[in-house]
Amino acid sequence: MKKILYFLLTVFCIVGVSVVNNEHVHAAAPSATIKITTLETGVFDETLEQKMITLSKASPVIVLSEADGWAEIQYKTVIGYIPSEYLKSAPPQYMLVQAKEEPLVHVTNNEESDIKGKLHLNTIVELYGSATADFVFVKYGRIAGFVNKQAIVKPVSKAMIVKNSNDLVVREIASSSSTEIGVLRKNSPVKMLTNLKGWAFVTTDKLSGYVLTNGLVTSPVVKEKPANPKPAKDKKIALTFDDGPHPKVTKQILKILEKFEAKATFFVVGQEVKEHPEILKAVYNAGHEIGNHTFNHEKLTALSAKEIKQQIQATDTLIKSTIGQRATVFRPPYGSYDKTITDQLNVPNVLWTIDTLDWKHRDPKKTVQAVKEHAKNGSIILMHDIHQTTADALDEVLATLQKQGYEFVTVSELLGK
């Protein structure tokens, strides 16, 4: 009986028909995560005692849930469990659907198997894993399954930018009723991979999905460089601020950063975002990166897996509801983390290389001195935007580093993410 319930739940989660341009979309829960196996492993039933099948390395699977070191997965028609450590998240390869007619998505790599739906021509799908003799595993919205590999090709990208107007909503599929997965800010550069019936699939370093085509314009032609261009800066430092946003100090820090044309990363605490959402919006609108620093700054290694998940997800949800997109990096309070924590992350776990100890000594001179003594190319500097003494030190910190030729970038820019 339990296995039947698992099957029904899985069908509800991943089976649906996606239709382009405001046509009907079947109601379904958000699609499950796709991951890739890292080695040959057995799939066990719900008692974790009886092996059902053996998965080969690099098999794409649908992850239905994860808890206590085990992942409940679906592979073709089989639902069971494998150790979470045998799975890894893999970035999808974006492919264009091109065929004489709309290709069918099958449950298995066999044309005689059940059909989950069909893919509309000229849509972009996510390709996972390697191809079999005739089939590939793809995902489009709530549909995930096998299609004939002859039906998809590599798309040709075109440089575009978001129009100088309101931010542009990014959706999971080409439909105004589909799930919103983020927003693109005005003037953002994007790569367009397809354009159909008023929808375009675009991709950036941080976000990929469908947007309304009328929100894009062709990227202007880059002018030739002057005969004697200024030498490019190759010394970069990431300034990071933890524990905010603060209604007074964060505003002061934003003004100083603007003065030096510096970008920074703010690792925010959920309960502070809840109290001061307008400050977070100001940070984001100024072009700075937003990181997740848990909901109330508890030491995560002292919590259960469920409590860790709540700390991370509650903050992520609050950030998205405030600025329209989730955090792009994570920092554990006190720098304390383990595999249980990192397994729950979908973004980089970022610590620091220079601790100014501004939270401890509350002395602007000591903060400046810490930076002067330890700054080097690639440094990640830890400060806190909740102390007035940090704001008092920042002007001299930036002036000193700027004289030394440093460029101030976000953590993701520094790490090349």
Side-chain angles (χ1 to χ4, degrees):
M1 180 66 182
K2 190 174 181 181
K3 199 174 293 185
I4 293 174
L5 289 175
Y6 280 141
F7 178 77
L8 293 174
L9 177 61
T10 304
V11 171
F12 180 75
C13 289
I14 64 173
V15 177
V17 177
S18 304
V19 180
V20 174
N21 202 24
N22 298 321
E23 295 179 22
H24 180 68
V25 178
H26 284 242
S31 51
T33 304
I34 309 297
K35 290 191 176 182
I36 307 296
T37 56
T38 57
L39 46 75
E40 185 175 289
T41 183
V43 178
F44 294 83
D45 63 18
E46 63 266 24
T47 66
L48 304 180
E49 294 178 356
Q50 181 178 352
K51 186 166 78 170
M52 303 167 71
I53 61 170
T54 298
L55 285 179
S56 301
K57 179 180 179 180
S59 297
V61 299
I62 302 172
V63 180
L64 305 177
S65 64
E66 289 188 80
D68 302 323
W70 286 87
E72 182 187 12
I73 62 108
Q74 178 178 357
Y75 177 72
K76 297 182 179 178
T77 58
V78 175
I79 298 175
Y81 292 82
I82 67 172
S84 294
E85 63 182 304
Y86 294 164
L87 293 172
K88 71 172 182 179
S89 297
Q93 180 181 357
Y94 295 114
M95 301 293 284
L96 178 66
V97 179
Q98 282 197 347
K100 292 182 178 179
E101 56 186 27
E102 296 177 334
L104 300 176
V105 181
H106 294 268
V107 175
T108 74
N109 54 342
N110 187 324
E111 289 193 4
E112 303 301 320
S113 66
D114 290 341
I115 297 171
K116 289 188 172 184
K118 63 174 62 175
L119 300 175
H120 293 275
L121 301 181
N122 295 319
T123 54
I124 294 292
V125 296
E126 300 173 5
L127 168 65
Y128 291 89
S130 56
T132 62
D134 299 303
F135 286 84
V136 288
F137 187 85
V138 302
K139 177 176 177 290
Y140 177 77
R142 293 178 172 86
I143 297 179
F146 293 85
V147 299
N148 191 302
K149 67 180 181 181
Q150 302 299 325
I152 59 174
V153 298
K154 287 186 178 181
V156 176
S157 65
K158 181 180 180 180
M160 306 287 284
I161 58 174
V162 178
K163 280 185 179 179
N164 188 13
S165 56
N166 295 330
D167 294 341
L168 191 58
V169 175
V170 183
R171 299 191 180 277
E172 186 178 31
I173 64 171
S175 169
S176 58
S177 61
S178 74
T179 303
E180 180 182 331
I181 59 177
V183 295
L184 291 171
R185 300 166 75 177
K186 59 184 180 182
N187 298 323
S188 297
V190 300
K191 292 181 179 179
M192 183 176 69
L193 303 187
T194 191
N195 181 3
L196 70 156
K197 297 183 179 179
W199 291 92
F201 184 91
V202 298
T203 182
T204 71
D205 292 338
K206 299 177 182 178
L207 189 62
S208 298
Y210 285 87
V211 301
L212 290 171
T213 308
N214 60 13
L216 303 173
V217 293
T218 303
S219 183
V221 177
V222 178
K223 296 180 179 179
E224 292 185 5
K225 295 182 179 180
N228 297 303
K230 295 181 180 179
K233 293 181 179 179
D234 56 2
K235 296 170 65 177
K236 297 181 179 180
I237 274 185
L239 305 168
T240 67
F241 299 91
D242 287 11
D243 299 355
H246 188 279
K248 178 183 177 183
V249 178
T250 304
K251 286 183 177 180
Q252 295 176 16
I253 287 175
L254 288 177
K255 289 182 179 179
I256 299 170
L257 292 172
E258 182 180 13
K259 173 183 174 181
F260 288 89
E261 298 183 350
K263 297 305 178 188
T265 301
F266 289 76
F267 290 93
V268 298
V269 174
Q271 62 184 2
E272 298 303 323
V273 173
K274 188 175 182 179
E275 291 293 325
H276 312 291
E278 74 286 353
I279 305 298
L280 180 64
K281 289 179 182 177
V283 173
Y284 177 71
N285 290 335
H288 303 293
E289 182 172 31
I290 307 301
N292 185 328
H293 200 40
T294 74
F295 193 80
N296 53 15
H297 206 272
E298 290 194 45
K299 188 175 182 179
L300 296 183
T301 51
L303 303 182
S304 67
K306 182 178 180 181
E307 291 171 327
I308 293 169
K309 184 176 182 179
Q310 290 173 340
Q311 285 282 328
I312 296 172
Q313 289 192 351
T315 306
D316 227 16
T317 299
L318 194 55
I319 291 171
K320 186 178 187 299
S321 67
T322 304
I323 63 173
Q325 74 170 45
R326 292 182 170 83
T328 49
V329 283
F330 175 82
R331 175 172 284 170
Y334 313 105
S336 181
Y337 70 97
D338 55 25
K339 190 174 185 297
T340 301
I341 296 164
T342 56
D343 281 348
Q344 297 201 33
L345 300 178
N346 295 317
V347 296
N349 183 48
V350 178
L351 297 184
W352 56 85
T353 61
I354 299 175
D355 187 351
T356 62
L357 298 177
D358 61 337
W359 58 272
K360 184 176 183 180
H361 52 65
R362 310 290 178 88
D363 186 335
K365 292 183 179 179
K366 290 184 178 180
T367 298
V368 173
Q369 190 61 33
V371 174
K372 285 182 177 180
E373 290 180 357
H374 303 291
K376 61 181 181 180
N377 186 32
S379 290
I380 300 176
I381 301 175
L382 170 61
M383 292 177 283
H384 297 77
D385 59 325
I386 59 173
H387 304 307
Q388 181 61 50
T389 49
T390 299
D392 294 340
L394 188 58
D395 195 295
E396 187 174 350
V397 166
L398 293 177
T400 299
L401 294 175
Q402 193 174 72
K403 287 179 182 178
Q404 296 175 7
Y406 285 103
E407 178 185 2
F408 307 109
V409 298
T410 65
V411 164
S412 289
E413 289 172 327
L414 185 71
L415 300 179
K417 300 297 183 180

